[in-house]
Amino acid sequence: MSRSVVVGMSGGVDSAVAALLLKEQGYEVECLFMKNWEADDTDDYCTAEEDYRDAIQVCDILDLPLHTVNFSREYWERVFTHFLQEYREGRTPNPDILCNKEIKFKVFLEYALKLGMESIATGHYARILRKHGTFRLYKGLDAAKDQSYFLYTLGQKELRKSLFPIGEMTKKEVRERARKMGFPNAEKKDSTGICFIGERNFRAFLKQYLPAKPGEIVTVDGRVVGRHEGLMYYTLGQRKGLGIGGGYGNKEAAWYVVDKDLRQNRLIIAQGHDHPALFSTRLTATQLHWTTGERPDDSLSLQAKIRYRQADQECRIEFTSDQTAMVTFAEPQFAITPGQSVVFYHGDECLGGGIIDRVIRDNSSYESAITGEI
Amino acid sequence: MLYFDHSATTPIRKEVLVRMQEVESKHFGNPSSVHRFGQKSRSLVEAARRQMATAIGCQPHEIIFTGGGTEANNLVLWNLIHQKQKHVITSAIEHPAVLKVLKRLKEFGLSVTLIPVNKKGRVDPAAIEREIRPDTGLITIMTANNEVGTIQPLAEIASIAHKKGILFHSDAVQALGKIAINVQESGVDLMSFSAHKFYGPKGVGALYIRKGVHLQPLIIGGGQERRLRAGTENVAGIVGLGLAAELAAGQVQETRSHLDSLAFRFRQEFTRVYPRAIYNGDPEHQLPGLVNVTIPDVTSDILLINLDLRGIAVSSGSACSSGTVEPSSVLKAMGIANDLNTRTLRISFGKDNTHDEVATLVEALDDIIKRYRN
C-alpha cells in the first residue's frame, strides 16, 4: 500500500525537488500551494502569482495535482499580529519561525490529515531520524543551507507526520535534479527577506502598520548625538542607517545599535564593532520547547545559535522554570537580540529552543546610567 | 500559388498547429478551475508565458496575453483616460490600431501630437523631445512600419522618454521573428505583439508590461491575466503563440539573413528588368524581407489583380487599406507624391519563400508592366 503525503509547494526549487523525490519513492503525492498573504493587485513585491506559476508548471512536469489553499486569515491572526506586537514592544521577531509553528506545521498539517493524507512534506534542509521510538530533528546535511533553526518549535506530533525529503541533499544537488527535470524554477534564486514583505523597503512596509515615534539617539556614555525615526526600524547590532555622521568620538569607527530604551524612546549606540556594550555572554529565554518532548539534562554541554547561519556556540543552560532558562555562553556573543530565537543543538541534533527575552549585560554600567535599570 | 504578403499574415507553422490541435482536443479545462483539468490548462498557459518572455528578454510576469496586437494597443492607449497626463506623442505612420484609437480618444479629452517622418519613414528622436509637454503621458512609436518596413530608433526614444518620466510604448507586431527583440535593450515600458505575424495562430497576442507599470483593464470580468484581461484564456491559441515566439526568436538570425537575401535578389533582378523602380524605406534600417516598391508606369490595383490572376499574392500598402485606391497615408507622410503613392506595391517575403519564387515574381511583374505600360 502506498503511503500518502501532501507536499507544501512554495514555487521554489526545494519543494519542487521534494515532490519529485517522494514521487520516485512511490508515495501517493498531492501538492498544495499555500496563499498566506493577501496582496493587492498592484503590489509589485508580492511574488505569489509568480510562485504559483512555477509551482503549477513543476506539478505538470511531475504529473501531480496542485491544490491551492488560502491560509491568509490564519497567517494574519497567528503570525502577523504577533509580528507587529513584537515590534511595538521593541523586539525583533522572526516570522518565519512563527509561520512554521503556527501555519505550516499546524494549520497545513491539520488540513492535510483531515483530507485523509498520512503526512506532509516540505522543502526544508533538515532531517528527521527515528531512534528508539522518538522522532529526532537533525540539521540538513548541507551545512550552508541547514534550516533546522527555523524548525525548533516542532514536537513529536509534528515530526511524526512530517517528511523533509531534501534534508540529505546539498542545494547544488537539488538544483541539478531540478535542471534535469526541466523545472522552470531550477535556477530561481533563494527567497530573501520575510515572505510577506519580499524585497521591498522594510521601513515603508512597517510604517503602514505601526506609527513611527522619532526620538533621541544616545551614546552609551550618555551623550545625545542625533535623532532616530522610530525604534522599530532598528535592530540590535545594526551598523548602517543611523544617520549620524562623524564628529563624535573616533571618526574612523562605525556606530552600532546597542540597545533600545523603550520607556524614554531612545536608541542607544556605541562606537566600534568591538565595543564591550555590544557583547554579552548570558541571556534569558522564554517559551522553551523541546523537539523530543523532554528537556535536556542541564548538566549536558550544549551548543546554541542565536541567529540563523551562526556557527554553533558552546553554552550551558540553567532552567529557571518549565518554560524559562538562563543561557550562558562560553564566548561573548555579539548583539544578542530579544525577540529572536535561541536554538539548542547537541552535535547535529536540534534539541529545541526558545525566544530570547533579555540580554544579561556583563558590564551593565552603561545600562544603569542610561535607562536606570539594572 | 505564391505568397509574398507575410506582413499581412503568415502561414502557421506545422509544429505549432500540431501542438494546438493536441491542446485543443486533450486539454479543455478552464485554467481558472482548481481541479486537475484546470491545473493542466493553467500550466500550459504559464509555460507559454515563459516562452514569450524568453523570446523578448523579460520576466514571465511582465507578459499578459490578449486577443491580438490591436487589443494590446487598445489596452495601453485606453489607459490614458485614467491618467492625469492626457497628451500623447506618436508618429504619423503608426498603424490604424494606434492612430484610430487616438483619434477616438480625443473625444475623451486626449491631445495628440503626430511626429512627422523623413523621406525614408524614420522618426527623429529630437523631434519627439521637442514636443514633450508637462502633460505628456505616453510616447508610442512602432518598432517597424508595416508598409515600408522602416525600423525606428527605439532605444533613443526610450531614453528621452525616461529622462522625462514618460511611459514609452511600441507596437512591435511587425518585428518579432524578423529582427531580434529585447525589451531591456530597446528600453520600452510596453510592447505589443501578435502571434499570426510570426507563424502563430490568429486571434492571440501579447502585451509586455514592464514591472512597476500599472494598467487598468479594458475588458472587465473574471480575474484572468492579473485582472488585466478578463475572459477565459484562449489556451490553444496562447500555447501556439508561446511556441511560435520561441521558434521565431530562436531562428531570428537565420530567418533574417534568408529574408535579406530574398529582398536583395528581388531588387537586383527587378531593377534589371525595370530600372524605373523606386524603392521606399530606409536601407540602413529596413525590416528584413519587406520591399516597398513604386512602379510609376502601372497603378497598384492593376498590378494586384494581374498578379492574383497568376496566383501571386502581394499587397499595396497595408492589407487593411488594400482593395481601395486610397493613397497610403504612410507614403504620404514620407512625402511621396499622390500619383506615385497609388503605384506602389508592398512585397513581404517569408521564411519559406525561395529564390526561384522570387524569380517567378520578377518575371510576372515584368510581363504585366510591359503589357500595361502607356
Side-chain angles (χ1 to χ4, degrees), chain B residues 56-73:
Chain B
I56 63 165
C58 71
Q59 293 299 311
H61 57 262
E62 295 176 307
I63 296 290
I64 70 152
F65 296 117
T66 66
T70 295
E71 185 192 316
N73 287 343

mmCIF file of all heavy atoms in Angstrom, chain B residues 56-73:
data_model
loop_
_atom_site.group_PDB
_atom_site.id
_atom_site.type_symbol
_atom_site.label_atom_id
_atom_site.label_comp_id
_atom_site.label_asym_id
_atom_site.label_seq_id
_atom_site.Cartn_x
_atom_site.Cartn_y
_atom_site.Cartn_z
ATOM 1 N N ILE B 56 11.544 37.690 -25.764
ATOM 2 C CA ILE B 56 11.765 39.141 -25.836
ATOM 3 C C ILE B 56 12.598 39.664 -24.667
ATOM 4 O O ILE B 56 12.729 40.866 -24.480
ATOM 5 C CB ILE B 56 10.430 39.924 -25.921
ATOM 6 C CG1 ILE B 56 9.587 39.718 -24.658
ATOM 7 C CG2 ILE B 56 9.641 39.514 -27.158
ATOM 8 C CD1 ILE B 56 8.458 40.736 -24.535
ATOM 9 N N GLY B 57 13.146 38.741 -23.863
ATOM 10 C CA GLY B 57 14.078 39.154 -22.815
ATOM 11 C C GLY B 57 13.439 39.804 -21.603
ATOM 12 O O GLY B 57 13.985 40.755 -21.054
ATOM 13 N N CYS B 58 12.278 39.293 -21.181
ATOM 14 C CA CYS B 58 11.689 39.835 -19.949
ATOM 15 C C CYS B 58 11.313 38.697 -19.017
ATOM 16 O O CYS B 58 11.598 37.532 -19.292
ATOM 17 C CB CYS B 58 10.469 40.700 -20.273
ATOM 18 S SG CYS B 58 9.035 39.771 -20.832
ATOM 19 N N GLN B 59 10.675 39.028 -17.913
ATOM 20 C CA GLN B 59 10.215 38.034 -16.952
ATOM 21 C C GLN B 59 8.789 37.602 -17.308
ATOM 22 O O GLN B 59 8.014 38.410 -17.819
ATOM 23 C CB GLN B 59 10.227 38.623 -15.546
ATOM 24 C CG GLN B 59 11.624 38.927 -15.027
ATOM 25 C CD GLN B 59 12.466 37.676 -14.939
ATOM 26 O OE1 GLN B 59 12.045 36.662 -14.392
ATOM 27 N NE2 GLN B 59 13.658 37.725 -15.520
ATOM 28 N N PRO B 60 8.434 36.343 -17.004
ATOM 29 C CA PRO B 60 7.083 35.880 -17.347
ATOM 30 C C PRO B 60 5.962 36.771 -16.806
ATOM 31 O O PRO B 60 4.967 36.988 -17.501
ATOM 32 C CB PRO B 60 7.014 34.486 -16.712
ATOM 33 C CG PRO B 60 8.424 34.030 -16.639
ATOM 34 C CD PRO B 60 9.258 35.263 -16.423
ATOM 35 N N HIS B 61 6.139 37.313 -15.609
ATOM 36 C CA HIS B 61 5.038 38.107 -15.045
ATOM 37 C C HIS B 61 4.883 39.451 -15.750
ATOM 38 O O HIS B 61 3.959 40.196 -15.445
ATOM 39 C CB HIS B 61 5.216 38.285 -13.542
ATOM 40 C CG HIS B 61 6.515 38.924 -13.164
ATOM 41 N ND1 HIS B 61 7.599 38.203 -12.759
ATOM 42 C CD2 HIS B 61 6.895 40.209 -13.171
ATOM 43 C CE1 HIS B 61 8.594 39.034 -12.526
ATOM 44 N NE2 HIS B 61 8.204 40.251 -12.770
ATOM 45 N N GLU B 62 5.784 39.749 -16.666
ATOM 46 C CA GLU B 62 5.661 41.004 -17.404
ATOM 47 C C GLU B 62 4.887 40.827 -18.714
ATOM 48 O O GLU B 62 4.785 41.758 -19.505
ATOM 49 C CB GLU B 62 7.051 41.584 -17.689
ATOM 50 C CG GLU B 62 7.785 41.986 -16.412
ATOM 51 C CD GLU B 62 9.202 42.471 -16.649
ATOM 52 O OE1 GLU B 62 9.979 41.750 -17.306
ATOM 53 O OE2 GLU B 62 9.537 43.562 -16.182
ATOM 54 N N ILE B 63 4.372 39.623 -18.936
ATOM 55 C CA ILE B 63 3.623 39.332 -20.157
ATOM 56 C C ILE B 63 2.159 39.100 -19.821
ATOM 57 O O ILE B 63 1.845 38.339 -18.900
ATOM 58 C CB ILE B 63 4.160 38.032 -20.825
ATOM 59 C CG1 ILE B 63 5.600 38.213 -21.292
ATOM 60 C CG2 ILE B 63 3.254 37.575 -21.969
ATOM 61 C CD1 ILE B 63 5.776 39.144 -22.454
ATOM 62 N N ILE B 64 1.255 39.745 -20.555
ATOM 63 C CA ILE B 64 -0.131 39.297 -20.494
ATOM 64 C C ILE B 64 -0.595 38.968 -21.912
ATOM 65 O O ILE B 64 -0.132 39.565 -22.884
ATOM 66 C CB ILE B 64 -1.096 40.313 -19.826
ATOM 67 C CG1 ILE B 64 -1.301 41.528 -20.698
ATOM 68 C CG2 ILE B 64 -0.664 40.704 -18.436
ATOM 69 C CD1 ILE B 64 -2.655 42.152 -20.461
ATOM 70 N N PHE B 65 -1.479 37.990 -22.001
ATOM 71 C CA PHE B 65 -1.985 37.570 -23.305
ATOM 72 C C PHE B 65 -3.264 38.336 -23.628
ATOM 73 O O PHE B 65 -4.082 38.601 -22.747
ATOM 74 C CB PHE B 65 -2.235 36.064 -23.317
ATOM 75 C CG PHE B 65 -0.979 35.270 -23.148
ATOM 76 C CD1 PHE B 65 -0.796 34.447 -22.047
ATOM 77 C CD2 PHE B 65 0.053 35.362 -24.086
ATOM 78 C CE1 PHE B 65 0.380 33.720 -21.879
ATOM 79 C CE2 PHE B 65 1.227 34.644 -23.934
ATOM 80 C CZ PHE B 65 1.392 33.824 -22.826
ATOM 81 N N THR B 66 -3.391 38.663 -24.896
ATOM 82 C CA THR B 66 -4.555 39.426 -25.347
ATOM 83 C C THR B 66 -5.147 38.721 -26.567
ATOM 84 O O THR B 66 -4.640 37.692 -27.003
ATOM 85 C CB THR B 66 -4.147 40.846 -25.775
ATOM 86 O OG1 THR B 66 -3.316 40.753 -26.946
ATOM 87 C CG2 THR B 66 -3.386 41.575 -24.675
ATOM 88 N N GLY B 67 -6.179 39.321 -27.102
ATOM 89 C CA GLY B 67 -6.795 38.782 -28.309
ATOM 90 C C GLY B 67 -6.125 39.290 -29.583
ATOM 91 O O GLY B 67 -6.748 39.281 -30.631
ATOM 92 N N GLY B 68 -4.907 39.731 -29.499
ATOM 93 C CA GLY B 68 -4.179 40.173 -30.687
ATOM 94 C C GLY B 68 -3.418 41.463 -30.437
ATOM 95 O O GLY B 68 -3.476 42.042 -29.343
ATOM 96 N N GLY B 69 -2.710 41.900 -31.461
ATOM 97 C CA GLY B 69 -1.910 43.120 -31.350
ATOM 98 C C GLY B 69 -2.774 44.360 -31.208
ATOM 99 O O GLY B 69 -2.450 45.279 -30.439
ATOM 100 N N THR B 70 -3.889 44.382 -31.926
ATOM 101 C CA THR B 70 -4.779 45.542 -31.855
ATOM 102 C C THR B 70 -5.316 45.712 -30.437
ATOM 103 O O THR B 70 -5.353 46.814 -29.896
ATOM 104 C CB THR B 70 -5.940 45.371 -32.850
ATOM 105 O OG1 THR B 70 -5.394 45.371 -34.172
ATOM 106 C CG2 THR B 70 -6.951 46.496 -32.725
ATOM 107 N N GLU B 71 -5.688 44.594 -29.827
ATOM 108 C CA GLU B 71 -6.197 44.685 -28.458
ATOM 109 C C GLU B 71 -5.106 45.144 -27.490
ATOM 110 O O GLU B 71 -5.363 45.943 -26.579
ATOM 111 C CB GLU B 71 -6.761 43.335 -27.997
ATOM 112 C CG GLU B 71 -7.410 43.448 -26.626
ATOM 113 C CD GLU B 71 -7.729 42.102 -26.006
ATOM 114 O OE1 GLU B 71 -8.238 41.221 -26.723
ATOM 115 O OE2 GLU B 71 -7.469 41.945 -24.814
ATOM 116 N N ALA B 72 -3.891 44.645 -27.705
ATOM 117 C CA ALA B 72 -2.778 45.064 -26.843
ATOM 118 C C ALA B 72 -2.588 46.578 -26.945
ATOM 119 O O ALA B 72 -2.427 47.274 -25.935
ATOM 120 C CB ALA B 72 -1.505 44.318 -27.238
ATOM 121 N N ASN B 73 -2.629 47.105 -28.164
ATOM 122 C CA ASN B 73 -2.501 48.555 -28.354
ATOM 123 C C ASN B 73 -3.643 49.304 -27.674
ATOM 124 O O ASN B 73 -3.436 50.312 -27.004
ATOM 125 C CB ASN B 73 -2.503 48.908 -29.842
ATOM 126 C CG ASN B 73 -1.202 48.508 -30.527
ATOM 127 O OD1 ASN B 73 -0.200 48.264 -29.865
ATOM 128 N ND2 ASN B 73 -1.218 48.428 -31.844
#
